[in-house]
Amino acid sequence: MTGRMTEHRTGPTAGHRTEPAAGHPAGRVSATEPEGADVAQERLRRWRLVLGGDPADGTGQALSGRDAAMDGALASLYGKGDAPRTGRDRAAGLGASAPAVARWLGDIRTHFPSSVVQVMQRDAIDRLGLATLLLEPEMLEAVEADVHLVGTLLSLTKAMPDTTKESARAVVRKVVDDLEKRLATRTRATLTGALDRGARTGRPRHHDIDWNRTIAANLKHYLPEHRTIVPERLVGYGRASRSVKKEVVLCVDQSGSMAASVVYASVFGAVLASMRSIDTRLVVFDTAVVDLTDQLDDPVDVLFGTRLGGGTDINRALAYCQSRITRPAETVVVLISDLYEGGIRDEMLKRVAAMQAAGARFVTLLALSDEGTPSYDREHAAALAALGAPAFACTPDLFPEVMAAAIERRPLPIPDAG
């Protein structure tokens, strides 16, 4: 059977489209499940939408109305240019016409949910080379904004005309504001708790007692006959003062593959900078190093200060970060990179070892995004793990827990590789 593929992660295969998983465009083809004799007809209808209507698809099914409109939108992106349409004659491909793309964007927003629209937009940009059309303000007003779109816009900033920059900033602002609403409250609560727990006291109030440490400190007072411990010495959580207690350095790789990580790191950097008990520094790098700390009050300014693409010199970036550490024992350094080092590998590893030996906590994140396991340099990851700095991908929802564990010097909550 011939058809068309909608799977965006593995990349499209010309002339084929596999049956989509939940959330893929062709997965939304019926609001209700049919019953009885209609089941076979509904199954044919679904297979027709999945396979694309080529003569060899074997369904013999024609489409009309909303189904034909959905099929046309899918065909424009995933269909073959020479494939006849049995539902609606519409040539595959969107060309380079801004009006045609704008109409298509309107169509998919009409017929598919937001999450699917975002997938189709990314596929259109990747497959059909539509990134340059995003330089037009009317196009930016039509797209569904998400983290990946922000990454694409940031990669185009050098070519972006002045008439488009304000529209682009508005798109980026919307995404950043949504992310802050989603992430800020939990991040502040989690890290405030970690900072409070970092200040110990020997005369805690009852609700401030750290029972694990108290029990460990009083094991010698165990009474076997009563099967209990007499806590002669209480260990409790103190309350962090309003002065700066911890220093956090976010060192972020801004190569093209790290676009989503740069967006999330900028948002988290702004959230951390808003906490008076944390002194936050944000450093981005490719082959050059840029300190964006003075822009952390506005993550949109941070993002437009980045330069996605280019090479990678992790050693140079870490050298800069190392030179800015003033209190190693109170510092957490977070390197966010796929570890494809273009600089001096051995020097990079020596710097990590030196920072740790001085007392700093070093965390390596291969990605900070909602995506799956990223591509990364496994040899460098293994070398960092041998130094006690295991490298792993981290979702935005897990990041507050990772930072809390790093601040408290607990084992990091590394997710299962599977």
Side-chain angles (χ1 to χ4, degrees):
M1 290 187 180
T2 60
R4 56 196 184 228
M5 174 179 276
T6 61
E7 175 57 59
H8 69 287
R9 289 186 179 86
T10 58
T13 301
H16 294 280
R17 183 172 81 184
T18 61
E19 185 171 7
H24 279 69
R28 179 170 164 164
V29 295
S30 178
T32 58
E33 291 296 327
E35 297 181 0
D38 292 335
V39 171
Q41 184 69 19
E42 176 64 11
R43 184 176 292 117
L44 283 175
R45 170 180 168 271
R46 292 180 180 229
W47 274 113
R48 164 61 184 80
L49 282 164
V50 167
L51 295 170
D54 292 317
D57 72 8
T59 65
Q61 183 78 14
L63 301 177
S64 62
R66 182 171 180 271
D67 287 345
M70 293 171 65
D71 187 61
L74 291 167
S76 294
L77 178 57
Y78 302 108
K80 293 196 299 181
D82 58 352
R85 311 255 44 87
T86 57
R88 170 193 282 182
D89 290 335
R90 183 170 179 177
L94 299 172
S97 167
V101 175
R103 284 194 299 271
W104 179 78
L105 288 169
D107 288 345
I108 65 175
R109 292 176 75 169
T110 298
H111 299 302
F112 302 105
S114 176
S115 59
V116 176
V117 169
Q118 292 171 6
V119 170
M120 294 178 74
Q121 285 179 173
R122 293 202 296 273
D123 284 351
I125 291 170
D126 293 341
R127 296 192 66 195
L128 305 180
L130 301 184
T132 54
L133 290 179
L134 294 177
L135 301 180
E136 303 183 23
E138 60 270 24
M139 290 297 299
L140 289 177
E141 294 172 2
V143 294
E144 189 84 16
D146 68 347
V147 169
H148 299 279
L149 178 63
V150 169
T152 300
L153 290 177
L154 296 178
S155 69
L156 297 172
T157 51
K158 285 186 177 180
M160 193 173 289
D162 292 339
T163 55
T164 306
K165 286 182 179 177
E166 286 307 311
S167 298
R169 286 186 74 90
V171 171
V172 175
R173 173 73 62 190
K174 180 181 183 302
V175 173
V176 166
D177 288 348
D178 289 345
L179 290 177
E180 282 194 298
K181 289 176 184 176
R182 167 189 158 193
L183 301 169
T185 300
R186 180 167 172 266
T187 300
R188 290 192 184 100
T190 301
L191 297 188
T192 297
L195 292 164
D196 285 346
R197 288 189 293 272
R200 303 291 172 182
T201 177
R203 300 182 63 184
R205 291 172 291 184
H206 183 269
H207 60 275
D208 288 334
I209 296 175
D210 182 341
W211 288 108
N212 288 334
R213 288 177 177 259
T214 295
I215 291 171
N218 290 277
L219 288 175
K220 62 183 178 182
H221 303 305
Y222 178 66
L223 301 178
E225 63 275 18
H226 298 290
R227 301 181 65 185
T228 190
I229 291 174
V230 177
E232 291 188 359
R233 182 168 71 88
L234 298 178
V235 180
Y237 303 127
R239 295 299 171 195
S241 70
R242 300 177 72 86
S243 61
V244 172
K245 291 292 184 182
K246 295 290 180 180
E247 296 182 7
V248 173
V249 181
L250 299 178
C251 185
V252 186
D253 183 344
Q254 63 175 353
S255 57
S257 60
M258 301 296 294
S261 298
V262 172
V263 176
Y264 280 115
S266 299
V267 172
F268 278 117
V271 173
L272 296 178
S274 71
M275 301 179 64
R276 296 184 63 175
S277 294
I278 298 178
D279 187 10
T280 306
R281 182 176 295 275
L282 177 63
V283 176
V284 298
F285 68 93
D286 42 33
T287 51
V289 179
V290 181
D291 193 327
L292 298 175
T293 302
D294 60 350
Q295 299 180 39
L296 275 175
D297 58 329
D298 188 345
V300 175
D301 286 341
V302 168
L303 289 171
F304 277 93
T306 62
R307 185 182 61 190
L308 292 177
T312 308
D313 193 337
I314 303 173
N315 175 58
R316 185 174 183 179
L318 291 182
Y320 177 84
C321 294
Q322 186 180 23
S323 72
R324 294 301 184 271
I325 295 175
T326 58
R327 298 182 300 138
E330 302 299 331
T331 298
V332 176
V333 179
V334 183
L335 172 64
I336 304 175
S337 173
D338 54 17
L339 301 180
Y340 288 111
E341 170 66 317
I344 307 172
R345 174 185 182 272
D346 290 343
E347 287 296 316
M348 175 190 76
L349 296 175
K350 287 179 182 178
R351 291 192 189 282
V352 173
M355 283 186 271
Q356 293 189 128
R361 185 75 188 268
F362 196 92
V363 178
T364 309
L365 301 182
L366 301 170
L368 178 57
S369 70
D370 289 306
E371 307 300 322
T373 302
S375 171
Y376 63 96
D377 190 307
R378 296 180 182 276
E379 183 180 349
H380 288 167
L384 286 170
L387 294 175
F392 58 97
C394 178
T395 65
D397 289 335
L398 181 62
F399 184 75
E401 300 296 336
V402 170
M403 290 303 302
I407 286 172
E408 295 184 79
R409 297 186 175 267
R410 293 187 279 108
L412 300 176
I414 300 174
D416 284 335

